Amino acid sequence: MHRLRQPGGMRLQGRQRRQLAVAAGGGFGKPKEKALSKQKACPCGSGQAFKECCQRYHDGELPETPEKLMRSRYSAYVKGNWAYVVDTTHPENPLLTDEAAQAGKPTLKDDVIATCEKLGFEKLKILSVEPGKDDDEGFVTFQAWFKNVGQMGQRAQGWHTQTFVERSRFLRHDGRWLYVDGEQDWKR
């Protein structure tokens, strides 16, 4: 067993040891899901409490519309719940295929984890909801605001909020709505 020591060689005790472990971030490993009070307003901007809005979808209930899926996926990004984002992605999404991993490209899981670690999402605004060519397709256009949180440098340290607009496409697959892809427009 390693004994934690201060720079002068003195052994750390109780409280000092716990403070050091906390300051060290608990070590490496799988990304932690960000805690969000279930009483707090849902990050998706619906105005409802998280537990009455997106939490139920994260717990397994199926969103009934593309807009509800879009909002719940945004909340998952805010919370760092990468598994929900991956689970609600249509098999046709290019990053979800094994071909991406075999070609040495990042997989959807890699991409979502990196996004959750590097971006701090601040706000979501739904701009439009449109039907598709049939009842099993829908589009949601939204704008999201974020700051870089996982990088060094003045711009990346949250001095500037950035935004983008995306028109997302959703398909109903085996009775559940799934995100397929989106066209993004990045703005300052």
Side-chain angles (χ1 to χ4, degrees):
M1 177 174 144
H2 275 11
R3 299 203 186 268
L4 297 175
R5 295 187 183 275
Q6 291 179 327
M10 296 175 54
R11 196 167 71 175
L12 296 175
Q13 299 293 322
R15 183 173 178 206
Q16 292 175 317
R17 186 182 197 128
R18 284 189 300 277
Q19 287 174 333
L20 181 62
V22 169
F28 299 100
K30 79 175 199 176
K32 252 199 294 190
E33 189 172 305
K34 298 169 190 163
L36 183 64
S37 167
K38 293 181 183 181
Q39 302 302 319
K40 199 173 183 183
C42 190
C44 80
S46 68
Q48 298 177 347
F50 178 63
K51 71 177 182 178
E52 296 165 0
C53 191
C54 293
Q55 176 67 46
R56 60 192 174 131
Y57 303 128
H58 295 186
D59 289 342
E61 189 176 320
L62 298 179
E64 305 88 8
T65 66
E67 180 182 357
K68 288 182 181 180
L69 178 58
M70 171 60 238
R71 289 180 178 279
S72 66
R73 285 173 58 90
Y74 174 84
S75 292
Y77 273 106
V78 171
K79 283 186 51 67
N81 185 352
W82 62 266
Y84 180 79
V85 176
V86 171
D87 289 344
T88 57
T89 301
H90 196 279
E92 290 180 12
N93 183 288
L95 287 177
L96 195 58
T97 65
D98 286 335
E99 294 170 14
Q102 292 170 1
K105 296 179 183 174
T107 63
L108 178 63
K109 177 183 171 185
D110 298 332
D111 185 65
V112 173
I113 289 172
T115 300
C116 291
E117 290 175 349
K118 302 277 186 203
L119 303 182
F121 287 97
E122 298 182 338
K123 180 180 171 186
L124 172 70
K125 181 178 180 182
I126 303 295
L127 302 175
S128 68
V129 178
E130 309 159 46
K133 63 182 182 282
D134 58 35
D135 290 343
D136 292 328
E137 182 180 46
F139 296 89
V140 178
T141 303
F142 68 91
Q143 185 169 7
W145 286 261
F146 66 93
K147 289 182 180 177
N148 289 320
V149 295
Q151 297 175 336
M152 301 300 287
Q154 182 182 18
R155 180 161 178 80
Q157 296 245 349
W159 293 98
H160 301 283
T161 298
Q162 299 175 57
T163 186
F164 69 94
V165 173
E166 179 174 313
R167 183 174 190 253
S168 297
R169 182 168 69 113
F170 298 87
L171 291 176
R172 194 176 350 231
H173 181 75
D174 293 335
R176 53 188 293 232
W177 285 104
L178 298 172
Y179 170 81
V180 181
D181 53 22
E183 297 173 8
Q184 295 176 347
D185 180 14
W186 290 83
K187 298 181 177 188
R188 288 196 178 256

